[in-house]
Amino acid sequence: MNTGRYTCLEIFAKAVEDGGKIKVISGQAGSMEQAGMKSYHAWLKFPVETETDYEIVREGCHVSLCYLSGNEDILETGVCYLEQDKESGRFLPADKGRYENSPIRESYHFTPWKNWMNDPNGLCWFKGYYHMFYQCNPHFQEWSNMYWGHAASRDLVHWRHLPIVLSPQQEILEKPEEYKGGAFSGCAVAAGDKVRFYLTRHKGPLKDGEESIEQQWMMESSDMIHFTEEKCIIPKQPAGASFDFRDPKVLKIEGCWYMVLGSSMEGHGAILLYRSEDMEKWEYAHPLLTEEDKGVRCFECPDFMELDGKYVAIGAWMCHYDASRRYQMSRYYIGNWKDKKLEVESSGWFDFGSNCYAMQSFEHRNRRISIGWVSDFYHEHVEQEDGAYGSMTIPRELHIKNGKLYMTPVKEIAALRGINLYQGAGENFSIYGIEGNAYRAEVKFKENTPFDILLGKDGDKSISLRSDETGLYIKTEGVNSRDIIFRADVTQVTELEIYMDRRVAEVYVNEGEAAGTKLFYSSSKQGCFVIHADKPENIEGAEVSLMDTIWR
Ligand code: FRU
C-alpha cells in the first residue's frame, strides 16, 4: 500500500493471546513493529513517510479498524481506510464503492465506516466545516467501551470520515471483564479561535450502580484535529443526584454560560443546571426541570436552547416504555426561562418512530440544526461482516409553531435528489424494484383521507405508514417491533415527506409537525413505494425520486 500524502498509520487491534505483533514494513523507509501486544484493545499510531510503500503484517492479533491519516488537508480528504484483502492477506485502500452499493450501511444517512455508533457529540460549525463527533466502538457491532469518532462536512450532507479522537481510559481497556466506560457523550462550543469540548468520562463496574463514576471533562482544539489534554471540571454529582450524571451540553443565556446534564433526583428524571463565568469553573444551580413520569431512570443527552423566542429543553428518557410500549422516547419541553428554570408551557415526543435517540442541536447562521442517533431499540439489526450498526438522522431544522416543536430536513438535502420515478395526482400507484432502495417521496392530500403506504417489503416482513380513524402511524409486520403502534401526534395529514434509505425510514408530517424514524431491515437491494388511499382523488400531488449517495 502506498501512503500518498498521509503521514500516520492508525491501527485498532487486539492480540488473540498476549504476545501478538504488528509489523509495518517498508523497503524504502525502514520498518516498525509493535511486539508483545496484549489481549485487550489497543490503538497504535505509526508515523509513515509520504508517497512510500508499506506492508502491514499481523501476527497473533486481530485488526478491527485501520486507516491512514495525518495529512494537512485531512478535513477535505478524510482518512484512507485500509482493509485486508481476503486472498492476498495484504492491507489495501478500501473499495469506496462498497459504501454505495452495499445494503449493509445507509446511502445518505451518516454511518461509521463499520461497526457500532451511537449518540452524536460535539456538533458545531467551525472555520468552514460542520463537525460531528459521535460515540463509537470501532472494534465490533455492539455497544462497548466508548470512543469518539469524528466526521466533517461543508454542506451538512456529504461527510468525510476523520481520525478517531478519544478512547476509553486505559484501565478500562486493560480490564474489560471488570470495568466498563470510556469517553461518553458531550458537546462542543465554538468560541472565537478555538472550540471547547465538554464530555463525560464514565468508569464503573459492568452493571451500573452506586460504584459507577461519571465525571465531566473538558478539552480544546483550534484545528479540530489536535486536542489538548482533558481536564476534569466537575468530579462529582451534586447532593441528591443519582450516579447517572452525564452528557454535558453548554449554552449561553444573557451573557452567562450554562451547562445542562442528564440525571435523576429522588427517582425522577432531571435535567441539572450548572453555571459558569469562564467556561471552566462550574457551579451547580438546581434542576432545570424534573419529569413527573416515574418510569424514567434518568434523562440522557439533554439539550437546552433558545428557539423562536421561547426556550426548549429536550431529553432522552432512559429505560422508559410509553403506553403503547414504545421504548426510550425523547421528550421536548417548550416554555420560558424564568428564575433560571424552564417554566414549561407545552411538551411532546421528539420522534414518534422511537428509533431516534440522544439528539443534539447546534446553531449556525440563525438556524437551529439537530441530528439524532438512529437507534435499534427493538433489536432488529442484522449483523453482517464489515457492516455498520447505527446511523444518524438527516440533519433537521427546528422551529416552534403553535406550541409544538416542528422539524424539517435541512434544505441542503435537496442536493441529493436524483431521477424522478413518479409524478402525478389523483390516483393510487405502486413502484417496485427501486434499485438501491434509497429514495424520497412527497405526498400532498386535499383533505384527510385514510391511506396505507407500503415503504418496504421482504417476504412476510414489511413496514407501512398508515392513516385511519385512529390517526397516523408507522406499522411493521414480521419483525420484533410488530406489536407496537408508532403513532404521530397529529390530528390530520395534509403533507408527507418520506425518506427511505436502505434500513432507515424517516417520515416528516405536515411540513414538520411530527417526525418519525423507524428501522426496517430488508435482505433485498430493491425498495418499493405503494400508496393506496381510500379516496385517491384526495391525493393532490405525489412525487417519488431516487436519492444520491453522500459517500461519493
Ligand atoms: C445515550 C448514552 C449516553 C452516554 C452514551 C454512552 O445513548 O447512554 O447517556 O453518554 O450513550 O455511549
Side-chain angles (χ1 to χ4, degrees):
M1 145 278 288
N2 188 279
T3 50
R5 282 180 295 135
Y6 294 98
T7 64
C8 185
L9 170 65
E10 304 188 35
I11 302 178
F12 292 78
K14 178 178 165 176
V16 180
E17 283 174 23
D18 284 357
K21 201 184 263 186
I22 299 243
K23 291 189 204 161
V24 180
I25 303 164
S26 166
Q28 299 155 270
S31 303
M32 295 166 275
E33 91 170 21
Q34 176 74 50
M37 286 183 58
K38 297 277 179 20
S39 67
Y40 55 74
H41 293 295
W43 178 4
L44 309 175
K45 292 185 189 177
F46 297 96
V48 290
E49 305 271 311
T50 57
E51 308 293 350
T52 303
D53 290 332
Y54 286 87
E55 290 284 338
I56 302 168
V57 178
R58 61 180 176 93
E59 286 172 15
C61 54
H62 173 77
V63 169
S64 32
L65 193 71
C66 179
Y67 54 79
L68 289 162
S69 62
N71 53 320
E72 283 202 343
D73 56 348
I74 195 157
L75 292 178
E76 278 302 311
T77 63
V79 299
C80 172
Y81 287 107
L82 304 174
E83 297 284 3
Q84 193 168 17
D85 182 61
K86 285 222 164 69
E87 272 157 35
S88 64
R90 297 175 67 197
F91 281 83
L92 300 170
D95 171 10
K96 287 208 176 181
R98 284 177 52 207
Y99 264 128
E100 291 162 32
N101 301 323
S102 145
I104 61 177
R105 55 175 70 83
E106 276 55 65
S107 169
Y108 60 91
H109 283 75
F110 176 87
T111 66
W113 172 253
K114 57 158 99 159
N115 295 330
W116 171 269
M117 185 209 84
N118 54 295
D119 318 348
N121 296 154
L123 299 181
C124 63
W125 184 90
F126 186 65
K127 295 187 180 164
Y129 293 89
Y130 295 98
H131 288 268
M132 174 163 65
F133 299 81
Y134 56 92
Q135 294 281 285
C136 73
N137 171 16
H139 303 289
F140 40 88
Q141 291 171 53
E142 201 179 289
W143 187 91
S144 186
N145 297 323
M146 280 290 115
Y147 295 72
W148 271 37
H150 183 195
S153 168
R154 280 201 180 274
D155 62 1
L156 275 175
V157 173
H158 300 87
W159 295 91
R160 293 269 182 261
H161 285 293
L162 295 171
I164 285 190
V165 171
L166 296 174
S167 75
Q169 301 86 303
Q170 191 61 25
E171 67 265 42
I172 293 175
L173 290 173
E174 287 179 17
K175 292 190 182 150
E177 62 297 322
E178 209 174 306
Y179 296 122
K180 72 166 185 191
F184 275 20
S185 286
C187 67
V189 184
D193 223 29
K194 60 184 174 190
V195 178
R196 286 195 165 95
F197 294 85
Y198 298 89
L199 69 133
T200 301
R201 281 271 170 196
H202 178 109
K203 185 185 163 197
L206 301 189
K207 192 173 179 325
D208 292 342
E210 294 303 327
E211 287 160 48
S212 306
I213 299 170
E214 299 203 314
Q215 300 178 317
Q216 317 315 321
W217 292 68
M218 182 187 131
M219 64 178 187
E220 294 175 352
S221 179
S222 46
D223 64 0
M224 303 303 255
I225 296 298
H226 303 92
F227 299 84
T228 58
E229 243 180 60
E230 292 162 51
K231 198 161 140 182
C232 185
I233 47 160
I234 306 179
K236 208 176 162 0
Q237 68 269 42
S242 72
F243 59 85
D244 287 309
F245 175 60
R246 57 182 173 272
D247 310 335
K249 182 83 198 309
V250 170
L251 78 160
K252 200 180 202 175
I253 306 175
E254 292 153 6
C256 187
W257 290 101
Y258 292 91
M259 177 191 289
V260 288
L261 280 155
S263 189
S264 72
M265 288 204 144
E266 289 154 21
H268 288 271
I271 298 179
L272 307 183
L273 188 74
Y274 277 71
R275 216 187 115 135
S276 173
E277 298 289 329
D278 60 2
M279 302 180 86
E280 274 196 52
K281 287 190 279 318
W282 293 89
E283 222 173 84
Y284 176 59
H286 45 243
L288 173 78
L289 71 86
T290 309
E291 173 51 50
E292 274 168 30
D293 193 315
K294 276 217 158 219
V296 185
R297 170 169 142 185
C298 67
F299 277 101
E300 294 191 293
C301 301
D303 203 339
F304 188 41
M305 68 201 79
E306 189 180 354
L307 185 66
D308 297 337
K310 291 282 175 191
Y311 280 84
V312 185
I314 307 175
W317 282 18
M318 189 181 188
C319 294
H320 179 267
Y321 286 97
D322 82 345
S324 52
R325 302 297 291 164
R326 283 182 297 185
Y327 188 52
Q328 300 209 136
M329 302 282 284
S330 295
R331 190 106 190 141
Y332 69 78
Y333 305 82
I334 301 175
N336 301 307
W337 173 243
K338 200 157 171 237
D339 301 329
K340 302 201 166 42
K341 289 191 179 165
L342 183 67
E343 192 183 61
V344 179
E345 290 178 333
S346 57
S347 82
W349 295 123
F350 183 76
D351 186 294
F352 67 89
S354 110
N355 279 149
C356 171
Y357 200 69
M359 61 67 66
Q360 186 174 89
S361 77
F362 68 104
E363 194 187 37
H364 179 236
R365 302 212 170 116
N366 296 323
R367 279 198 298 176
R368 175 59 61 176
I369 298 161
S370 99
I371 295 178
W373 162 40
V374 181
S375 47
D376 175 26
F377 290 148
Y378 307 98
H379 309 288
E380 292 170 329
H381 179 63
V382 179
E383 184 160 336
Q384 306 231 31
E385 195 184 355
D386 289 341
Y389 187 5
S391 60
M392 297 293 186
T393 64
I394 295 169
R396 302 172 177 180
E397 185 172 335
L398 306 185
H399 282 289
I400 297 175
K401 269 192 214 166
N402 309 321
K404 275 184 143 182
L405 187 67
Y406 269 62
M407 275 171 269
T408 47
V410 292
K411 62 180 187 322
E412 288 88 337
I413 201 78
L416 297 177
R417 243 189 261 178
I419 295 167
N420 189 272
L421 300 176
Y422 175 89
Q423 187 148 29
E427 58 174 359
N428 291 326
F429 62 94
S430 318
I431 314 174
Y432 286 101
I434 303 177
E435 214 44 63
N437 193 19
Y439 66 83
R440 172 190 184 275
E442 194 180 309
V443 187
K444 289 202 165 100
F445 298 96
K446 280 188 205 150
E447 58 186 69
N448 216 24
T449 185
F451 61 77
D452 187 331
I453 303 176
L454 182 68
L455 295 175
K457 187 152 178 57
D458 184 19
D460 54 8
K461 295 188 283 177
S462 66
I463 180 168
S464 319
L465 180 67
R466 291 183 192 156
S467 176
D468 57 27
E469 67 288 350
T470 67
L472 175 75
Y473 57 95
I474 294 174
K475 183 79 186 79
T476 57
E477 304 280 359
V479 294
N480 290 350
S481 55
R482 62 187 175 269
D483 294 331
I484 302 168
I485 302 282
F486 300 95
R487 192 179 298 288
D489 290 325
V490 296
T491 50
Q492 53 160 357
V493 183
T494 54
E495 191 258 6
L496 293 171
E497 199 178 338
I498 298 165
Y499 290 87
M500 196 67 209
D501 182 10
R502 306 262 164 83
R503 310 173 298 186
V504 177
E506 215 178 320
V507 178
Y508 294 85
V509 187
N510 300 342
E511 289 168 355
E513 188 183 354
T517 309
K518 183 72 199 80
L519 285 169
F520 179 73
Y521 279 69
S522 168
S523 59
S524 167
K525 277 193 178 177
Q526 297 183 334
C528 65
F529 183 91
V530 180
I531 179 165
H532 178 94
D534 282 9
K535 289 187 181 159
E537 62 275 20
N538 277 341
I539 301 177
E540 191 180 315
E543 203 184 313
V544 182
S545 17
L546 292 181
M547 289 286 279
D548 284 341
T549 176
I550 60 172
W551 300 117
R552 219 164 263 155

